[in-house]
Amino acid sequence: MATPDRRTFLGTSIAGLAAAFGPPARAAETEASVAPPRSFVYPFRIGEVEAWSISDADLELGEGLDLMWPREAHPRMTELMQQHGESTATLPLYVNVLVLRHGNEVVLFDAGFGGRGNPKLGWLADGLASIGILPDQVTAGFLSHAHSDHLNGFISDGRPAFPNAAFHLLPEELAFWQGKDPDFSKSKRDKRPIPGMIDEVRRNFDILRSHTQPVKDGDKLLNGLVTVHAAPGHTAGHACFRIRSGNAELLHLMDLAHHHLLMFADPAWTIAFDHDPQTAVVTRRRFWSGAAERRTRCFGFHLPWPGLGHIVSDGPVYRWQAEPWRWLA
């Protein structure tokens, strides 16, 4: 792993920040003198539901296209990136947390990195405070998968960060991490941080055990507000979520896409963090096809903030069409 510099804040693994990015103290040192605003919060609505996109981090993955597979497609990836004025040396890491409020329910979809003593990440708590939501007001947390930028924000100082929230995830995700030997044999990621990552996930799951209420593919929760969709490949129990209110709908894509060009121009292009790349491709094609055909409004955890848009079919490929900002009064 290369050494972080002041320009790029190098990262190598979304899944294991402490292990793979290096110790938090070193990461904080990199950009300690550059403190961005502590919360970017975008309000919008899904029918009768109040919604916000809260940015939790501002990072760059310094490996750039070296994170992308297959290797033989790198010339095409490079051409695409250059056509759109995008850097191939680094890839942006947006971390957009979806928050809903409807009646007495306050719902999170993943919770970001959590507090790490680094000004470049862990902004969710400040974002929630800025819209008047206290941790004990959160009633439900949905976890797409257990990589650190999704799971760790559910933990604070060794305790559940949202003490009154039910914690929902697919049982396949629990089983994978809690099994005797979690299988990373198909993943292209650096294998060295994996033991530490597994230990961290297991500790966090133990902390959240009393709050955990597993859900199944197709389950509808909160009076039909949220539908759970199994979307395996990135991890064994990776999930997407569909939010419906009246005639309005939003499909949360979670980690089906890590880049606003690369995962759409060719759904067969994968990122090193996928546990099972071939399954991830099959899943992505299914979701892209359905969302494009139905013109479903979508939300992307790793797409440019605030992460709202549509997937558009463009001949044999797709493209991400970001939704214009509309600031609410």
PDB file of all heavy atoms in Angstrom, residues 183-211:
ATOM      1  N   ASP A 183     -15.382 -16.803   3.525  1.00  0.00           N
ATOM      2  CA  ASP A 183     -14.703 -17.122   2.265  1.00  0.00           C
ATOM      3  C   ASP A 183     -14.495 -15.867   1.416  1.00  0.00           C
ATOM      4  O   ASP A 183     -15.457 -15.284   0.905  1.00  0.00           O
ATOM      5  CB  ASP A 183     -15.535 -18.141   1.493  1.00  0.00           C
ATOM      6  CG  ASP A 183     -14.874 -18.571   0.193  1.00  0.00           C
ATOM      7  OD1 ASP A 183     -13.696 -18.207  -0.030  1.00  0.00           O
ATOM      8  OD2 ASP A 183     -15.543 -19.262  -0.605  1.00  0.00           O
ATOM      9  N   PHE A 184     -13.254 -15.457   1.276  1.00  0.00           N
ATOM     10  CA  PHE A 184     -12.889 -14.324   0.425  1.00  0.00           C
ATOM     11  C   PHE A 184     -12.099 -14.788  -0.800  1.00  0.00           C
ATOM     12  O   PHE A 184     -11.431 -13.981  -1.441  1.00  0.00           O
ATOM     13  CB  PHE A 184     -12.047 -13.317   1.214  1.00  0.00           C
ATOM     14  CG  PHE A 184     -12.828 -12.513   2.205  1.00  0.00           C
ATOM     15  CD1 PHE A 184     -13.044 -12.984   3.491  1.00  0.00           C
ATOM     16  CD2 PHE A 184     -13.359 -11.275   1.865  1.00  0.00           C
ATOM     17  CE1 PHE A 184     -13.760 -12.243   4.420  1.00  0.00           C
ATOM     18  CE2 PHE A 184     -14.080 -10.528   2.777  1.00  0.00           C
ATOM     19  CZ  PHE A 184     -14.282 -11.008   4.057  1.00  0.00           C
ATOM     20  N   SER A 185     -12.193 -16.061  -1.130  1.00  0.00           N
ATOM     21  CA  SER A 185     -11.342 -16.611  -2.182  1.00  0.00           C
ATOM     22  C   SER A 185     -11.634 -16.019  -3.554  1.00  0.00           C
ATOM     23  O   SER A 185     -10.748 -15.976  -4.413  1.00  0.00           O
ATOM     24  CB  SER A 185     -11.491 -18.143  -2.229  1.00  0.00           C
ATOM     25  OG  SER A 185     -12.830 -18.514  -2.543  1.00  0.00           O
ATOM     26  N   LYS A 186     -12.858 -15.555  -3.794  1.00  0.00           N
ATOM     27  CA  LYS A 186     -13.204 -15.007  -5.102  1.00  0.00           C
ATOM     28  C   LYS A 186     -12.945 -13.503  -5.199  1.00  0.00           C
ATOM     29  O   LYS A 186     -12.974 -12.939  -6.292  1.00  0.00           O
ATOM     30  CB  LYS A 186     -14.682 -15.290  -5.411  1.00  0.00           C
ATOM     31  CG  LYS A 186     -15.016 -16.769  -5.511  1.00  0.00           C
ATOM     32  CD  LYS A 186     -16.506 -16.979  -5.752  1.00  0.00           C
ATOM     33  CE  LYS A 186     -16.867 -18.445  -5.797  1.00  0.00           C
ATOM     34  NZ  LYS A 186     -18.335 -18.634  -5.987  1.00  0.00           N
ATOM     35  N   SER A 187     -12.707 -12.873  -4.080  1.00  0.00           N
ATOM     36  CA  SER A 187     -12.515 -11.425  -4.071  1.00  0.00           C
ATOM     37  C   SER A 187     -11.135 -11.051  -4.602  1.00  0.00           C
ATOM     38  O   SER A 187     -10.158 -11.782  -4.405  1.00  0.00           O
ATOM     39  CB  SER A 187     -12.673 -10.890  -2.647  1.00  0.00           C
ATOM     40  OG  SER A 187     -12.385  -9.510  -2.593  1.00  0.00           O
ATOM     41  N   LYS A 188     -11.046  -9.894  -5.259  1.00  0.00           N
ATOM     42  CA  LYS A 188      -9.773  -9.394  -5.776  1.00  0.00           C
ATOM     43  C   LYS A 188      -9.085  -8.452  -4.786  1.00  0.00           C
ATOM     44  O   LYS A 188      -8.023  -7.910  -5.093  1.00  0.00           O
ATOM     45  CB  LYS A 188     -10.005  -8.638  -7.084  1.00  0.00           C
ATOM     46  CG  LYS A 188     -10.734  -9.439  -8.158  1.00  0.00           C
ATOM     47  CD  LYS A 188      -9.929 -10.624  -8.639  1.00  0.00           C
ATOM     48  CE  LYS A 188     -10.616 -11.301  -9.820  1.00  0.00           C
ATOM     49  NZ  LYS A 188      -9.873 -12.499 -10.286  1.00  0.00           N
ATOM     50  N   ARG A 189      -9.666  -8.263  -3.631  1.00  0.00           N
ATOM     51  CA  ARG A 189      -9.135  -7.318  -2.668  1.00  0.00           C
ATOM     52  C   ARG A 189      -7.851  -7.826  -2.026  1.00  0.00           C
ATOM     53  O   ARG A 189      -7.550  -9.024  -2.042  1.00  0.00           O
ATOM     54  CB  ARG A 189     -10.165  -7.017  -1.584  1.00  0.00           C
ATOM     55  CG  ARG A 189     -10.611  -8.239  -0.786  1.00  0.00           C
ATOM     56  CD  ARG A 189     -11.414  -7.843   0.459  1.00  0.00           C
ATOM     57  NE  ARG A 189     -10.611  -7.010   1.313  1.00  0.00           N
ATOM     58  CZ  ARG A 189     -10.992  -5.841   1.798  1.00  0.00           C
ATOM     59  NH1 ARG A 189     -12.183  -5.374   1.526  1.00  0.00           N
ATOM     60  NH2 ARG A 189     -10.199  -5.142   2.566  1.00  0.00           N
ATOM     61  N   ASP A 190      -7.097  -6.901  -1.448  1.00  0.00           N
ATOM     62  CA  ASP A 190      -5.918  -7.240  -0.673  1.00  0.00           C
ATOM     63  C   ASP A 190      -6.361  -8.101   0.505  1.00  0.00           C
ATOM     64  O   ASP A 190      -7.213  -7.713   1.299  1.00  0.00           O
ATOM     65  CB  ASP A 190      -5.259  -5.945  -0.175  1.00  0.00           C
ATOM     66  CG  ASP A 190      -3.993  -6.189   0.622  1.00  0.00           C
ATOM     67  OD1 ASP A 190      -3.620  -7.359   0.855  1.00  0.00           O
ATOM     68  OD2 ASP A 190      -3.361  -5.182   1.028  1.00  0.00           O
ATOM     69  N   LYS A 191      -5.789  -9.284   0.617  1.00  0.00           N
ATOM     70  CA  LYS A 191      -6.231 -10.223   1.642  1.00  0.00           C
ATOM     71  C   LYS A 191      -5.625  -9.940   3.020  1.00  0.00           C
ATOM     72  O   LYS A 191      -6.115 -10.459   4.027  1.00  0.00           O
ATOM     73  CB  LYS A 191      -5.890 -11.659   1.222  1.00  0.00           C
ATOM     74  CG  LYS A 191      -6.487 -12.112  -0.123  1.00  0.00           C
ATOM     75  CD  LYS A 191      -7.993 -12.032  -0.161  1.00  0.00           C
ATOM     76  CE  LYS A 191      -8.590 -12.773  -1.366  1.00  0.00           C
ATOM     77  NZ  LYS A 191      -8.223 -12.198  -2.652  1.00  0.00           N
ATOM     78  N   ARG A 192      -4.586  -9.136   3.080  1.00  0.00           N
ATOM     79  CA  ARG A 192      -3.899  -8.947   4.366  1.00  0.00           C
ATOM     80  C   ARG A 192      -4.770  -8.340   5.459  1.00  0.00           C
ATOM     81  O   ARG A 192      -4.681  -8.757   6.627  1.00  0.00           O
ATOM     82  CB  ARG A 192      -2.645  -8.100   4.155  1.00  0.00           C
ATOM     83  CG  ARG A 192      -1.542  -8.820   3.382  1.00  0.00           C
ATOM     84  CD  ARG A 192      -0.419  -7.879   3.013  1.00  0.00           C
ATOM     85  NE  ARG A 192      -0.883  -6.841   2.076  1.00  0.00           N
ATOM     86  CZ  ARG A 192      -0.092  -5.883   1.599  1.00  0.00           C
ATOM     87  NH1 ARG A 192       1.174  -5.815   1.976  1.00  0.00           N
ATOM     88  NH2 ARG A 192      -0.575  -4.994   0.751  1.00  0.00           N
ATOM     89  N   PRO A 193      -5.634  -7.362   5.164  1.00  0.00           N
ATOM     90  CA  PRO A 193      -6.449  -6.790   6.246  1.00  0.00           C
ATOM     91  C   PRO A 193      -7.638  -7.643   6.672  1.00  0.00           C
ATOM     92  O   PRO A 193      -8.317  -7.308   7.640  1.00  0.00           O
ATOM     93  CB  PRO A 193      -6.964  -5.473   5.631  1.00  0.00           C
ATOM     94  CG  PRO A 193      -6.147  -5.229   4.414  1.00  0.00           C
ATOM     95  CD  PRO A 193      -5.761  -6.581   3.921  1.00  0.00           C
ATOM     96  N   ILE A 194      -7.886  -8.753   5.980  1.00  0.00           N
ATOM     97  CA  ILE A 194      -9.131  -9.485   6.200  1.00  0.00           C
ATOM     98  C   ILE A 194      -9.287 -10.003   7.639  1.00  0.00           C
ATOM     99  O   ILE A 194     -10.370  -9.859   8.230  1.00  0.00           O
ATOM    100  CB  ILE A 194      -9.269 -10.622   5.165  1.00  0.00           C
ATOM    101  CG1 ILE A 194      -9.611 -10.022   3.793  1.00  0.00           C
ATOM    102  CG2 ILE A 194     -10.332 -11.627   5.586  1.00  0.00           C
ATOM    103  CD1 ILE A 194      -9.665 -11.028   2.667  1.00  0.00           C
ATOM    104  N   PRO A 195      -8.273 -10.614   8.268  1.00  0.00           N
ATOM    105  CA  PRO A 195      -8.491 -11.101   9.639  1.00  0.00           C
ATOM    106  C   PRO A 195      -8.926 -10.003  10.605  1.00  0.00           C
ATOM    107  O   PRO A 195      -9.855 -10.208  11.405  1.00  0.00           O
ATOM    108  CB  PRO A 195      -7.123 -11.688  10.024  1.00  0.00           C
ATOM    109  CG  PRO A 195      -6.518 -12.090   8.714  1.00  0.00           C
ATOM    110  CD  PRO A 195      -6.946 -11.032   7.743  1.00  0.00           C
ATOM    111  N   GLY A 196      -8.293  -8.830  10.524  1.00  0.00           N
ATOM    112  CA  GLY A 196      -8.695  -7.724  11.392  1.00  0.00           C
ATOM    113  C   GLY A 196     -10.091  -7.232  11.086  1.00  0.00           C
ATOM    114  O   GLY A 196     -10.854  -6.865  11.990  1.00  0.00           O
ATOM    115  N   MET A 197     -10.442  -7.233   9.798  1.00  0.00           N
ATOM    116  CA  MET A 197     -11.771  -6.801   9.393  1.00  0.00           C
ATOM    117  C   MET A 197     -12.832  -7.747   9.950  1.00  0.00           C
ATOM    118  O   MET A 197     -13.866  -7.309  10.467  1.00  0.00           O
ATOM    119  CB  MET A 197     -11.847  -6.755   7.868  1.00  0.00           C
ATOM    120  CG  MET A 197     -13.174  -6.329   7.301  1.00  0.00           C
ATOM    121  SD  MET A 197     -13.091  -6.097   5.511  1.00  0.00           S
ATOM    122  CE  MET A 197     -12.682  -7.750   4.962  1.00  0.00           C
ATOM    123  N   ILE A 198     -12.587  -9.048   9.861  1.00  0.00           N
ATOM    124  CA  ILE A 198     -13.537 -10.036  10.387  1.00  0.00           C
ATOM    125  C   ILE A 198     -13.727  -9.835  11.889  1.00  0.00           C
ATOM    126  O   ILE A 198     -14.851  -9.844  12.405  1.00  0.00           O
ATOM    127  CB  ILE A 198     -13.059 -11.459  10.073  1.00  0.00           C
ATOM    128  CG1 ILE A 198     -13.107 -11.722   8.566  1.00  0.00           C
ATOM    129  CG2 ILE A 198     -13.911 -12.486  10.822  1.00  0.00           C
ATOM    130  CD1 ILE A 198     -12.434 -13.014   8.149  1.00  0.00           C
ATOM    131  N   ASP A 199     -12.619  -9.657  12.606  1.00  0.00           N
ATOM    132  CA  ASP A 199     -12.711  -9.453  14.055  1.00  0.00           C
ATOM    133  C   ASP A 199     -13.546  -8.217  14.389  1.00  0.00           C
ATOM    134  O   ASP A 199     -14.363  -8.239  15.323  1.00  0.00           O
ATOM    135  CB  ASP A 199     -11.312  -9.310  14.660  1.00  0.00           C
ATOM    136  CG  ASP A 199     -10.538 -10.616  14.682  1.00  0.00           C
ATOM    137  OD1 ASP A 199     -11.169 -11.683  14.519  1.00  0.00           O
ATOM    138  OD2 ASP A 199      -9.301 -10.566  14.856  1.00  0.00           O
ATOM    139  N   GLU A 200     -13.344  -7.135  13.636  1.00  0.00           N
ATOM    140  CA  GLU A 200     -14.081  -5.904  13.899  1.00  0.00           C
ATOM    141  C   GLU A 200     -15.577  -6.094  13.659  1.00  0.00           C
ATOM    142  O   GLU A 200     -16.408  -5.669  14.463  1.00  0.00           O
ATOM    143  CB  GLU A 200     -13.553  -4.764  13.034  1.00  0.00           C
ATOM    144  CG  GLU A 200     -14.269  -3.439  13.275  1.00  0.00           C
ATOM    145  CD  GLU A 200     -13.723  -2.325  12.401  1.00  0.00           C
ATOM    146  OE1 GLU A 200     -13.742  -2.474  11.158  1.00  0.00           O
ATOM    147  OE2 GLU A 200     -13.290  -1.303  12.959  1.00  0.00           O
ATOM    148  N   VAL A 201     -15.924  -6.735  12.559  1.00  0.00           N
ATOM    149  CA  VAL A 201     -17.341  -6.968  12.258  1.00  0.00           C
ATOM    150  C   VAL A 201     -17.976  -7.820  13.345  1.00  0.00           C
ATOM    151  O   VAL A 201     -19.092  -7.535  13.819  1.00  0.00           O
ATOM    152  CB  VAL A 201     -17.506  -7.635  10.880  1.00  0.00           C
ATOM    153  CG1 VAL A 201     -18.955  -8.063  10.665  1.00  0.00           C
ATOM    154  CG2 VAL A 201     -17.071  -6.693   9.770  1.00  0.00           C
ATOM    155  N   ARG A 202     -17.297  -8.857  13.769  1.00  0.00           N
ATOM    156  CA  ARG A 202     -17.859  -9.727  14.808  1.00  0.00           C
ATOM    157  C   ARG A 202     -18.058  -8.968  16.116  1.00  0.00           C
ATOM    158  O   ARG A 202     -19.084  -9.156  16.799  1.00  0.00           O
ATOM    159  CB  ARG A 202     -16.953 -10.935  15.009  1.00  0.00           C
ATOM    160  CG  ARG A 202     -17.015 -11.935  13.848  1.00  0.00           C
ATOM    161  CD  ARG A 202     -15.996 -13.040  13.992  1.00  0.00           C
ATOM    162  NE  ARG A 202     -16.203 -14.072  12.979  1.00  0.00           N
ATOM    163  CZ  ARG A 202     -15.362 -15.092  12.772  1.00  0.00           C
ATOM    164  NH1 ARG A 202     -14.275 -15.217  13.528  1.00  0.00           N
ATOM    165  NH2 ARG A 202     -15.616 -15.985  11.836  1.00  0.00           N
ATOM    166  N   ARG A 203     -17.111  -8.104  16.481  1.00  0.00           N
ATOM    167  CA  ARG A 203     -17.275  -7.301  17.700  1.00  0.00           C
ATOM    168  C   ARG A 203     -18.498  -6.401  17.582  1.00  0.00           C
ATOM    169  O   ARG A 203     -19.291  -6.275  18.523  1.00  0.00           O
ATOM    170  CB  ARG A 203     -16.025  -6.456  17.957  1.00  0.00           C
ATOM    171  CG  ARG A 203     -14.829  -7.217  18.489  1.00  0.00           C
ATOM    172  CD  ARG A 203     -13.783  -6.266  19.057  1.00  0.00           C
ATOM    173  NE  ARG A 203     -13.339  -5.280  18.082  1.00  0.00           N
ATOM    174  CZ  ARG A 203     -12.332  -5.475  17.227  1.00  0.00           C
ATOM    175  NH1 ARG A 203     -11.663  -6.623  17.227  1.00  0.00           N
ATOM    176  NH2 ARG A 203     -11.967  -4.521  16.380  1.00  0.00           N
ATOM    177  N   ASN A 204     -18.649  -5.768  16.421  1.00  0.00           N
ATOM    178  CA  ASN A 204     -19.781  -4.867  16.238  1.00  0.00           C
ATOM    179  C   ASN A 204     -21.112  -5.615  16.251  1.00  0.00           C
ATOM    180  O   ASN A 204     -22.098  -5.144  16.826  1.00  0.00           O
ATOM    181  CB  ASN A 204     -19.618  -4.088  14.937  1.00  0.00           C
ATOM    182  CG  ASN A 204     -18.522  -3.036  15.030  1.00  0.00           C
ATOM    183  OD1 ASN A 204     -18.137  -2.625  16.133  1.00  0.00           O
ATOM    184  ND2 ASN A 204     -18.027  -2.588  13.890  1.00  0.00           N
ATOM    185  N   PHE A 205     -21.140  -6.781  15.623  1.00  0.00           N
ATOM    186  CA  PHE A 205     -22.371  -7.576  15.661  1.00  0.00           C
ATOM    187  C   PHE A 205     -22.706  -8.002  17.092  1.00  0.00           C
ATOM    188  O   PHE A 205     -23.880  -8.049  17.478  1.00  0.00           O
ATOM    189  CB  PHE A 205     -22.240  -8.807  14.765  1.00  0.00           C
ATOM    190  CG  PHE A 205     -22.485  -8.543  13.302  1.00  0.00           C
ATOM    191  CD1 PHE A 205     -22.237  -9.526  12.360  1.00  0.00           C
ATOM    192  CD2 PHE A 205     -22.972  -7.329  12.858  1.00  0.00           C
ATOM    193  CE1 PHE A 205     -22.477  -9.312  11.003  1.00  0.00           C
ATOM    194  CE2 PHE A 205     -23.216  -7.093  11.504  1.00  0.00           C
ATOM    195  CZ  PHE A 205     -22.965  -8.092  10.585  1.00  0.00           C
ATOM    196  N   ASP A 206     -21.691  -8.308  17.882  1.00  0.00           N
ATOM    197  CA  ASP A 206     -21.931  -8.666  19.281  1.00  0.00           C
ATOM    198  C   ASP A 206     -22.541  -7.484  20.041  1.00  0.00           C
ATOM    199  O   ASP A 206     -23.473  -7.661  20.847  1.00  0.00           O
ATOM    200  CB  ASP A 206     -20.635  -9.100  19.960  1.00  0.00           C
ATOM    201  CG  ASP A 206     -20.200 -10.508  19.576  1.00  0.00           C
ATOM    202  OD1 ASP A 206     -21.045 -11.251  19.033  1.00  0.00           O
ATOM    203  OD2 ASP A 206     -19.028 -10.851  19.809  1.00  0.00           O
ATOM    204  N   ILE A 207     -22.021  -6.290  19.790  1.00  0.00           N
ATOM    205  CA  ILE A 207     -22.547  -5.092  20.458  1.00  0.00           C
ATOM    206  C   ILE A 207     -24.011  -4.863  20.093  1.00  0.00           C
ATOM    207  O   ILE A 207     -24.825  -4.448  20.923  1.00  0.00           O
ATOM    208  CB  ILE A 207     -21.690  -3.867  20.091  1.00  0.00           C
ATOM    209  CG1 ILE A 207     -20.294  -3.998  20.713  1.00  0.00           C
ATOM    210  CG2 ILE A 207     -22.354  -2.563  20.537  1.00  0.00           C
ATOM    211  CD1 ILE A 207     -19.285  -2.991  20.189  1.00  0.00           C
ATOM    212  N   LEU A 208     -24.362  -5.155  18.855  1.00  0.00           N
ATOM    213  CA  LEU A 208     -25.715  -4.896  18.356  1.00  0.00           C
ATOM    214  C   LEU A 208     -26.653  -6.089  18.521  1.00  0.00           C
ATOM    215  O   LEU A 208     -27.813  -6.025  18.101  1.00  0.00           O
ATOM    216  CB  LEU A 208     -25.648  -4.517  16.877  1.00  0.00           C
ATOM    217  CG  LEU A 208     -24.953  -3.193  16.565  1.00  0.00           C
ATOM    218  CD1 LEU A 208     -24.634  -3.092  15.072  1.00  0.00           C
ATOM    219  CD2 LEU A 208     -25.796  -2.014  17.014  1.00  0.00           C
ATOM    220  N   ARG A 209     -26.180  -7.155  19.151  1.00  0.00           N
ATOM    221  CA  ARG A 209     -26.943  -8.408  19.200  1.00  0.00           C
ATOM    222  C   ARG A 209     -28.357  -8.209  19.746  1.00  0.00           C
ATOM    223  O   ARG A 209     -29.342  -8.705  19.176  1.00  0.00           O
ATOM    224  CB  ARG A 209     -26.197  -9.440  20.056  1.00  0.00           C
ATOM    225  CG  ARG A 209     -26.853 -10.817  20.049  1.00  0.00           C
ATOM    226  CD  ARG A 209     -26.169 -11.746  21.050  1.00  0.00           C
ATOM    227  NE  ARG A 209     -24.748 -11.840  20.794  1.00  0.00           N
ATOM    228  CZ  ARG A 209     -24.191 -12.686  19.922  1.00  0.00           C
ATOM    229  NH1 ARG A 209     -24.968 -13.507  19.236  1.00  0.00           N
ATOM    230  NH2 ARG A 209     -22.884 -12.715  19.760  1.00  0.00           N
ATOM    231  N   SER A 210     -28.495  -7.497  20.848  1.00  0.00           N
ATOM    232  CA  SER A 210     -29.811  -7.358  21.469  1.00  0.00           C
ATOM    233  C   SER A 210     -30.763  -6.489  20.644  1.00  0.00           C
ATOM    234  O   SER A 210     -31.975  -6.508  20.869  1.00  0.00           O
ATOM    235  CB  SER A 210     -29.679  -6.777  22.881  1.00  0.00           C
ATOM    236  OG  SER A 210     -29.152  -5.458  22.828  1.00  0.00           O
ATOM    237  N   HIS A 211     -30.227  -5.736  19.701  1.00  0.00           N
ATOM    238  CA  HIS A 211     -31.047  -4.883  18.839  1.00  0.00           C
ATOM    239  C   HIS A 211     -31.344  -5.535  17.489  1.00  0.00           C
ATOM    240  O   HIS A 211     -32.127  -4.998  16.700  1.00  0.00           O
ATOM    241  CB  HIS A 211     -30.325  -3.553  18.582  1.00  0.00           C
ATOM    242  CG  HIS A 211     -30.162  -2.709  19.800  1.00  0.00           C
ATOM    243  ND1 HIS A 211     -30.872  -1.544  20.008  1.00  0.00           N
ATOM    244  CD2 HIS A 211     -29.367  -2.853  20.896  1.00  0.00           C
ATOM    245  CE1 HIS A 211     -30.526  -1.016  21.164  1.00  0.00           C
ATOM    246  NE2 HIS A 211     -29.611  -1.793  21.719  1.00  0.00           N
TER     247      HIS A 211
END
